[in-house]
Amino acid sequence: MLATRQEQGWSTPQNFLILISIIVPVAFSSWQALLNNFVIEEAAFTGADIGLLQSVREIPGFLAFTAVFVLLFIREQRFMILSLAMLTIGVAITGFFPSVGGILMTTLLMSTGFHYFETLKQSLSLQWLSKDEAPEVLGKLISVGALASLCTYGALWLMLEQFELSFKWVYLITGTAAFAVLVFIALAFPEFKSETVQTKKLVFRKRYWLYYALTFMSGARRQIFIVFAGFLMVEKFGYSAADITLLFLINYLFNWLFAKKIGRFIGKVGERKALVFEYVGLIAVFAGYAVVEQAEAAAVLYVVDHLFFALALAMKTYFQKIADPADMASTAGVAFTINHIAAVVIPVSFGLLWLTSPSAVFFAGSAMAGVSLLLSLNIPTKPEEGNEVRVLAWR
Protein backbone atom coordinates (compact mmCIF):
# COMPACT_ATOMS: atom_id res chain seq x y z
CA MET A 1 0.00 0.00 0.00
CA LEU A 2 1.33 3.44 -0.93
CA ALA A 3 1.80 6.02 1.81
CA THR A 4 1.71 9.80 1.47
CA ARG A 5 4.37 12.28 2.59
CA GLN A 6 2.26 13.06 5.61
CA GLU A 7 2.55 9.49 6.93
CA GLN A 8 2.18 9.72 10.70
CA GLY A 9 4.42 8.14 13.33
CA TRP A 10 8.04 7.23 12.82
CA SER A 11 7.52 5.54 9.42
CA THR A 12 8.09 8.72 7.43
CA PRO A 13 10.03 9.34 4.21
CA GLN A 14 12.63 11.36 6.11
CA ASN A 15 13.22 8.55 8.60
CA PHE A 16 13.42 6.10 5.71
CA LEU A 17 16.17 8.24 4.16
CA ILE A 18 17.97 8.48 7.50
CA LEU A 19 18.00 4.72 8.08
CA ILE A 20 18.86 3.91 4.48
CA SER A 21 21.85 6.23 4.85
CA ILE A 22 23.34 3.79 7.37
CA ILE A 23 23.73 0.89 4.94
CA VAL A 24 26.26 2.35 2.51
CA PRO A 25 28.65 3.47 5.26
CA VAL A 26 28.59 -0.01 6.78
CA ALA A 27 29.07 -1.88 3.50
CA PHE A 28 30.83 0.39 1.01
CA SER A 29 33.01 2.15 3.56
CA SER A 30 34.33 -1.23 4.70
CA TRP A 31 35.06 -2.21 1.12
CA GLN A 32 36.83 1.08 0.46
CA ALA A 33 38.83 1.22 3.69
CA LEU A 34 40.28 -2.27 3.23
CA LEU A 35 40.64 -2.19 -0.54
CA ASN A 36 44.18 -0.87 -1.03
CA ASN A 37 45.68 -3.18 1.57
CA PHE A 38 43.58 -6.13 0.38
CA VAL A 39 44.57 -5.82 -3.28
CA ILE A 40 48.26 -5.15 -2.51
CA GLU A 41 48.69 -7.81 0.19
CA GLU A 42 46.39 -10.52 -1.18
CA ALA A 43 46.44 -9.96 -4.96
CA ALA A 44 49.74 -8.08 -5.53
CA PHE A 45 48.11 -5.21 -7.43
CA THR A 46 50.22 -2.55 -9.14
CA GLY A 47 49.16 1.07 -9.82
CA ALA A 48 47.94 -0.04 -13.26
CA ASP A 49 45.87 -2.86 -11.69
CA ILE A 50 44.20 -0.53 -9.20
CA GLY A 51 43.43 1.88 -12.04
CA LEU A 52 41.78 -0.95 -14.02
CA LEU A 53 39.77 -2.03 -10.98
CA GLN A 54 38.51 1.48 -10.31
CA SER A 55 37.58 1.95 -13.97
CA VAL A 56 35.55 -1.27 -13.82
CA ARG A 57 33.97 -0.04 -10.57
CA GLU A 58 32.80 3.11 -12.33
CA ILE A 59 31.19 1.37 -15.33
CA PRO A 60 27.83 0.93 -13.50
CA GLY A 61 27.95 4.65 -12.67
CA PHE A 62 28.38 5.41 -16.36
CA LEU A 63 25.28 3.26 -17.05
CA ALA A 64 23.21 4.86 -14.26
CA PHE A 65 20.95 6.49 -16.87
CA THR A 66 19.40 3.03 -17.42
CA ALA A 67 17.66 3.42 -14.04
CA VAL A 68 14.92 5.42 -15.73
CA PHE A 69 14.10 2.45 -17.96
CA VAL A 70 14.01 0.02 -15.02
CA LEU A 71 11.51 2.39 -13.38
CA LEU A 72 9.04 1.48 -16.12
CA PHE A 73 8.66 -1.86 -14.32
CA ILE A 74 9.39 -1.18 -10.65
CA ARG A 75 8.87 1.72 -8.26
CA GLU A 76 11.87 3.77 -7.14
CA GLN A 77 11.70 2.78 -3.49
CA ARG A 78 11.57 -0.96 -4.23
CA PHE A 79 14.33 -0.60 -6.82
CA MET A 80 16.45 1.09 -4.14
CA ILE A 81 16.03 -1.92 -1.82
CA LEU A 82 17.10 -4.34 -4.57
CA SER A 83 20.10 -2.17 -5.38
CA LEU A 84 21.25 -2.22 -1.78
CA ALA A 85 20.90 -6.01 -1.71
CA MET A 86 23.39 -6.20 -4.61
CA LEU A 87 25.75 -3.84 -2.79
CA THR A 88 25.73 -5.69 0.52
CA ILE A 89 26.06 -9.16 -1.03
CA GLY A 90 28.90 -7.98 -3.25
CA VAL A 91 30.81 -6.67 -0.23
CA ALA A 92 30.14 -9.82 1.83
CA ILE A 93 31.73 -12.13 -0.75
CA THR A 94 34.69 -9.90 -1.73
CA GLY A 95 37.24 -11.57 0.52
CA PHE A 96 36.54 -15.02 -0.92
CA PHE A 97 37.97 -14.05 -4.34
CA PRO A 98 41.54 -12.69 -3.78
CA SER A 99 42.59 -12.48 -7.43
CA VAL A 100 42.41 -9.83 -10.13
CA GLY A 101 39.52 -11.58 -11.89
CA GLY A 102 37.65 -12.36 -8.69
CA ILE A 103 37.98 -8.85 -7.31
CA LEU A 104 36.81 -7.40 -10.64
CA MET A 105 33.66 -9.59 -10.55
CA THR A 106 32.69 -8.84 -6.94
CA THR A 107 33.45 -5.16 -7.48
CA LEU A 108 31.13 -5.04 -10.50
CA LEU A 109 28.27 -6.58 -8.46
CA MET A 110 28.86 -4.27 -5.50
CA SER A 111 29.24 -1.20 -7.69
CA THR A 112 26.10 -1.85 -9.72
CA GLY A 113 24.05 -1.84 -6.53
CA PHE A 114 25.89 1.18 -5.13
CA HIS A 115 25.45 3.41 -8.19
CA TYR A 116 21.80 2.56 -8.75
CA PHE A 117 21.20 3.29 -5.06
CA GLU A 118 22.95 6.66 -5.18
CA THR A 119 20.96 7.62 -8.28
CA LEU A 120 17.66 6.69 -6.63
CA LYS A 121 18.56 8.28 -3.30
CA GLN A 122 19.25 11.61 -4.98
CA SER A 123 15.99 11.40 -6.91
CA LEU A 124 13.81 10.46 -3.93
CA SER A 125 15.50 12.95 -1.58
CA LEU A 126 14.82 15.86 -3.93
CA GLN A 127 11.24 14.66 -4.45
CA TRP A 128 10.40 14.12 -0.78
CA LEU A 129 12.15 17.20 0.67
CA SER A 130 11.05 20.79 0.18
CA LYS A 131 13.52 23.32 -1.26
CA ASP A 132 13.74 25.09 2.10
CA GLU A 133 14.49 21.99 4.14
CA ALA A 134 16.67 20.18 1.59
CA PRO A 135 20.11 21.72 2.42
CA GLU A 136 19.83 21.03 6.15
CA VAL A 137 18.25 17.58 5.79
CA LEU A 138 20.78 16.51 3.15
CA GLY A 139 23.49 17.66 5.53
CA LYS A 140 21.82 15.65 8.28
CA LEU A 141 21.86 12.54 6.07
CA ILE A 142 25.61 13.02 5.56
CA SER A 143 26.00 13.41 9.32
CA VAL A 144 24.04 10.19 9.99
CA GLY A 145 26.13 8.38 7.40
CA ALA A 146 29.27 9.73 9.03
CA LEU A 147 28.19 8.45 12.45
CA ALA A 148 27.51 5.02 10.92
CA SER A 149 30.95 5.17 9.32
CA LEU A 150 32.54 6.06 12.65
CA CYS A 151 31.00 2.96 14.20
CA THR A 152 32.01 0.88 11.18
CA TYR A 153 35.63 2.02 11.18
CA GLY A 154 35.82 1.47 14.93
CA ALA A 155 34.58 -2.09 14.38
CA LEU A 156 37.05 -2.55 11.51
CA TRP A 157 39.93 -1.45 13.71
CA LEU A 158 38.90 -3.90 16.43
CA MET A 159 38.52 -6.76 13.96
CA LEU A 160 41.90 -6.06 12.34
CA GLU A 161 44.00 -5.08 15.34
CA GLN A 162 42.45 -6.82 18.34
CA PHE A 163 40.90 -9.94 16.83
CA GLU A 164 43.34 -10.13 13.88
CA LEU A 165 40.66 -11.36 11.50
CA SER A 166 41.54 -11.91 7.86
CA PHE A 167 40.14 -9.68 5.11
CA LYS A 168 37.76 -12.49 4.12
CA TRP A 169 35.97 -12.55 7.46
CA VAL A 170 35.93 -8.77 7.90
CA TYR A 171 34.23 -8.33 4.52
CA LEU A 172 31.74 -11.11 5.32
CA ILE A 173 30.81 -9.63 8.70
CA THR A 174 30.31 -6.04 7.47
CA GLY A 175 28.44 -7.07 4.32
CA THR A 176 26.10 -9.36 6.28
CA ALA A 177 25.46 -6.70 8.94
CA ALA A 178 24.50 -4.17 6.25
CA PHE A 179 22.19 -6.73 4.62
CA ALA A 180 20.46 -7.33 7.97
CA VAL A 181 19.75 -3.59 8.35
CA LEU A 182 18.36 -3.58 4.81
CA VAL A 183 15.97 -6.44 5.58
CA PHE A 184 14.65 -4.51 8.60
CA ILE A 185 14.06 -1.36 6.53
CA ALA A 186 12.32 -3.31 3.76
CA LEU A 187 9.90 -4.85 6.27
CA ALA A 188 9.38 -1.82 8.54
CA PHE A 189 8.48 0.93 6.04
CA PRO A 190 5.50 1.27 3.69
CA GLU A 191 5.95 2.37 0.11
CA PHE A 192 5.74 6.15 -0.09
CA LYS A 193 4.00 8.05 -2.86
CA SER A 194 5.73 10.96 -4.59
CA GLU A 195 3.66 14.10 -5.14
CA THR A 196 4.94 14.56 -8.71
CA VAL A 197 4.80 11.81 -11.32
CA GLN A 198 8.32 11.31 -12.67
CA THR A 199 9.21 11.42 -16.36
CA LYS A 200 9.90 7.84 -17.51
CA LYS A 201 12.33 8.76 -20.28
CA LEU A 202 15.75 10.34 -20.56
CA VAL A 203 15.67 14.11 -20.10
CA PHE A 204 18.55 16.28 -21.28
CA ARG A 205 17.74 19.99 -21.18
CA LYS A 206 19.95 22.84 -22.41
CA ARG A 207 19.07 24.99 -19.44
CA TYR A 208 20.67 22.43 -17.11
CA TRP A 209 24.04 22.73 -18.88
CA LEU A 210 25.88 24.24 -15.91
CA TYR A 211 24.71 21.47 -13.60
CA TYR A 212 25.87 18.89 -16.15
CA ALA A 213 29.27 20.59 -16.47
CA LEU A 214 29.78 20.79 -12.70
CA THR A 215 28.75 17.15 -12.40
CA PHE A 216 31.21 16.06 -15.09
CA MET A 217 34.10 17.86 -13.43
CA SER A 218 33.10 16.48 -10.04
CA GLY A 219 33.30 12.95 -11.40
CA ALA A 220 36.74 13.54 -12.90
CA ARG A 221 38.15 15.23 -9.81
CA ARG A 222 36.63 12.72 -7.37
CA GLN A 223 38.67 9.90 -8.87
CA ILE A 224 41.90 11.56 -7.79
CA PHE A 225 40.82 11.25 -4.17
CA ILE A 226 39.09 7.88 -4.30
CA VAL A 227 41.64 6.04 -6.43
CA PHE A 228 45.01 7.68 -5.94
CA ALA A 229 45.01 9.53 -2.60
CA GLY A 230 44.41 6.31 -0.67
CA PHE A 231 46.87 4.41 -2.86
CA LEU A 232 49.47 7.10 -2.11
CA MET A 233 49.02 6.58 1.62
CA VAL A 234 49.69 2.84 1.32
CA GLU A 235 52.32 2.71 -1.44
CA LYS A 236 54.45 5.77 -0.57
CA PHE A 237 53.98 6.09 3.18
CA GLY A 238 53.36 2.45 4.13
CA TYR A 239 50.05 2.95 5.95
CA SER A 240 48.53 -0.33 7.20
CA ALA A 241 44.85 -1.27 6.90
CA ALA A 242 44.40 -0.26 10.54
CA ASP A 243 46.13 3.11 9.86
CA ILE A 244 43.80 3.80 6.92
CA THR A 245 40.86 2.84 9.11
CA LEU A 246 41.94 5.39 11.72
CA LEU A 247 42.17 8.06 9.01
CA PHE A 248 38.64 7.30 7.93
CA LEU A 249 37.53 7.47 11.56
CA ILE A 250 38.91 11.01 11.72
CA ASN A 251 37.28 11.87 8.38
CA TYR A 252 33.83 10.75 9.45
CA LEU A 253 34.16 12.27 12.91
CA PHE A 254 34.51 15.66 11.20
CA ASN A 255 31.59 14.88 8.89
CA TRP A 256 29.43 13.81 11.81
CA LEU A 257 30.24 17.01 13.68
CA PHE A 258 30.00 19.46 10.79
CA ALA A 259 27.91 18.05 7.91
CA LYS A 260 24.58 19.35 9.21
CA LYS A 261 26.19 22.73 9.89
CA ILE A 262 27.60 22.70 6.34
CA GLY A 263 24.07 22.15 5.04
CA ARG A 264 22.88 25.18 7.01
CA PHE A 265 25.89 27.13 5.72
CA ILE A 266 24.92 26.36 2.12
CA GLY A 267 21.33 27.39 2.81
CA LYS A 268 22.58 30.68 4.26
CA VAL A 269 25.33 31.76 1.83
CA GLY A 270 24.03 30.09 -1.33
CA GLU A 271 25.39 27.47 -3.68
CA ARG A 272 27.85 29.69 -5.56
CA LYS A 273 29.85 30.82 -2.51
CA ALA A 274 29.85 27.32 -1.03
CA LEU A 275 31.22 25.73 -4.21
CA VAL A 276 33.79 28.49 -4.75
CA PHE A 277 35.09 27.83 -1.23
CA GLU A 278 35.24 24.09 -1.94
CA TYR A 279 37.13 24.39 -5.21
CA VAL A 280 39.69 26.91 -3.96
CA GLY A 281 40.43 24.52 -1.12
CA LEU A 282 40.72 21.51 -3.41
CA ILE A 283 43.21 23.26 -5.69
CA ALA A 284 45.51 23.64 -2.69
CA VAL A 285 44.87 20.11 -1.39
CA PHE A 286 45.70 18.37 -4.67
CA ALA A 287 48.84 20.48 -5.12
CA GLY A 288 49.78 19.41 -1.61
CA TYR A 289 49.44 15.72 -2.50
CA ALA A 290 51.83 16.27 -5.42
CA VAL A 291 54.69 17.56 -3.25
CA VAL A 292 54.11 16.06 0.21
CA GLU A 293 56.96 14.03 1.67
CA GLN A 294 55.85 13.50 5.28
CA ALA A 295 53.29 10.83 6.19
CA GLU A 296 51.68 13.08 8.81
CA ALA A 297 51.23 15.97 6.35
CA ALA A 298 49.70 13.56 3.82
CA ALA A 299 47.24 12.43 6.48
CA VAL A 300 46.19 16.03 7.14
CA LEU A 301 45.60 16.57 3.41
CA TYR A 302 43.55 13.37 3.28
CA VAL A 303 41.28 14.49 6.11
CA VAL A 304 40.81 18.02 4.71
CA ASP A 305 40.13 16.59 1.25
CA HIS A 306 37.38 14.36 2.61
CA LEU A 307 35.79 17.21 4.58
CA PHE A 308 35.24 19.16 1.36
CA PHE A 309 33.00 16.33 0.10
CA ALA A 310 30.12 17.58 2.26
CA LEU A 311 30.09 20.90 0.39
CA ALA A 312 29.32 19.03 -2.85
CA LEU A 313 25.67 18.73 -1.79
CA ALA A 314 25.40 22.36 -2.97
CA MET A 315 25.25 20.98 -6.52
CA LYS A 316 22.17 18.94 -5.58
CA THR A 317 20.35 21.86 -4.00
CA TYR A 318 21.28 24.06 -6.98
CA PHE A 319 19.68 21.54 -9.32
CA GLN A 320 16.60 21.20 -7.12
CA LYS A 321 16.05 24.97 -7.36
CA ILE A 322 16.32 25.19 -11.16
CA ALA A 323 14.68 21.91 -12.20
CA ASP A 324 11.19 20.82 -13.17
CA PRO A 325 10.06 18.56 -10.27
CA ALA A 326 9.10 15.85 -12.78
CA ASP A 327 12.72 15.66 -13.99
CA MET A 328 14.26 14.49 -10.71
CA ALA A 329 14.44 10.74 -11.40
CA SER A 330 15.46 11.00 -15.04
CA THR A 331 18.05 13.72 -14.48
CA ALA A 332 19.53 11.89 -11.50
CA GLY A 333 20.35 9.00 -13.82
CA VAL A 334 21.67 11.29 -16.55
CA ALA A 335 23.77 13.19 -14.00
CA PHE A 336 25.33 10.02 -12.64
CA THR A 337 26.22 8.94 -16.16
CA ILE A 338 27.81 12.33 -16.89
CA ASN A 339 29.61 12.12 -13.55
CA HIS A 340 31.12 8.79 -14.57
CA ILE A 341 32.18 9.53 -18.16
CA ALA A 342 35.55 10.71 -16.93
CA ALA A 343 35.46 8.25 -14.03
CA VAL A 344 35.61 5.29 -16.40
CA VAL A 345 38.63 6.69 -18.27
CA ILE A 346 40.68 8.47 -15.60
CA PRO A 347 41.54 5.60 -13.20
CA VAL A 348 43.04 3.34 -15.85
CA SER A 349 44.76 6.14 -17.83
CA PHE A 350 46.04 7.93 -14.74
CA GLY A 351 47.08 4.54 -13.33
CA LEU A 352 49.54 4.31 -16.20
CA LEU A 353 50.64 7.91 -15.58
CA TRP A 354 51.16 7.00 -11.93
CA LEU A 355 53.86 4.52 -12.94
CA THR A 356 56.02 7.39 -14.23
CA SER A 357 54.89 10.44 -12.19
CA PRO A 358 52.50 10.25 -9.21
CA SER A 359 52.87 14.03 -8.77
CA ALA A 360 51.48 14.65 -12.26
CA VAL A 361 48.29 12.83 -11.27
CA PHE A 362 47.67 15.24 -8.41
CA PHE A 363 48.63 18.37 -10.35
CA ALA A 364 46.00 17.29 -12.90
CA GLY A 365 43.54 17.15 -10.00
CA SER A 366 44.36 20.76 -9.14
CA ALA A 367 43.68 21.76 -12.73
CA MET A 368 40.31 20.00 -12.63
CA ALA A 369 39.40 21.85 -9.44
CA GLY A 370 40.36 25.10 -11.21
CA VAL A 371 37.95 24.39 -14.05
CA SER A 372 35.21 23.64 -11.50
CA LEU A 373 35.94 26.96 -9.79
CA LEU A 374 35.42 28.87 -13.03
CA LEU A 375 32.15 27.04 -13.68
CA SER A 376 30.83 27.68 -10.17
CA LEU A 377 31.22 31.44 -10.65
CA ASN A 378 28.39 31.20 -13.19
CA ILE A 379 25.79 30.13 -10.59
CA PRO A 380 23.28 32.93 -9.87
CA THR A 381 22.87 34.32 -6.38
CA LYS A 382 19.27 33.05 -6.32
CA PRO A 383 18.97 30.17 -8.81
CA GLU A 384 15.48 29.15 -9.93
CA GLU A 385 13.62 28.09 -13.06
CA GLY A 386 14.33 30.79 -15.63
CA ASN A 387 17.42 31.96 -13.74
CA GLU A 388 19.72 28.94 -14.02
CA VAL A 389 22.99 30.70 -14.88
CA ARG A 390 24.49 34.20 -14.80
CA VAL A 391 25.69 34.07 -18.43
CA LEU A 392 25.25 31.69 -21.40
CA ALA A 393 21.63 30.91 -20.58
CA TRP A 394 21.13 28.29 -23.32
CA ARG A 395 17.53 27.29 -23.99
Side-chain angles (χ1 to χ4, degrees), residues 332-391:
V334 171
F336 263 80
T337 293
I338 292 171
N339 183 272
H340 287 80
I341 292 172
V344 171
V345 177
I346 283 178
V348 66
S349 60
F350 278 38
L352 296 174
L353 177 61
W354 180 273
L355 298 178
T356 58
S357 177
S359 293
V361 171
F362 293 116
F363 280 129
S366 281
M368 293 173 191
V371 173
S372 297
L373 173 62
L374 293 176
L375 288 170
S376 67
L377 294 173
N378 203 21
I379 296 176
T381 303
K382 294 183 178 180
E384 59 186 1
E385 284 193 66
N387 185 34
E388 296 89 1
V389 296
R390 300 172 76 185
V391 296

Side-chain angles (χ1 to χ4, degrees), residues 149-160 163 170 174 245 249:
S149 293
L150 280 171
C151 296
T152 299
Y153 289 123
L156 287 176
W157 187 85
L158 287 174
M159 287 187 282
L160 292 167
F163 298 104
V170 175
T174 54
T245 298
L249 274 170

Side-chain angles (χ1 to χ4, degrees), residues 196-211:
T196 303
V197 177
Q198 294 298 292
T199 303
K200 296 299 193 299
K201 61 181 181 181
L202 291 179
V203 172
F204 196 91
R205 303 194 191 281
K206 290 181 179 179
R207 66 187 185 89
Y208 299 161
W209 75 265
L210 181 56
Y211 173 67

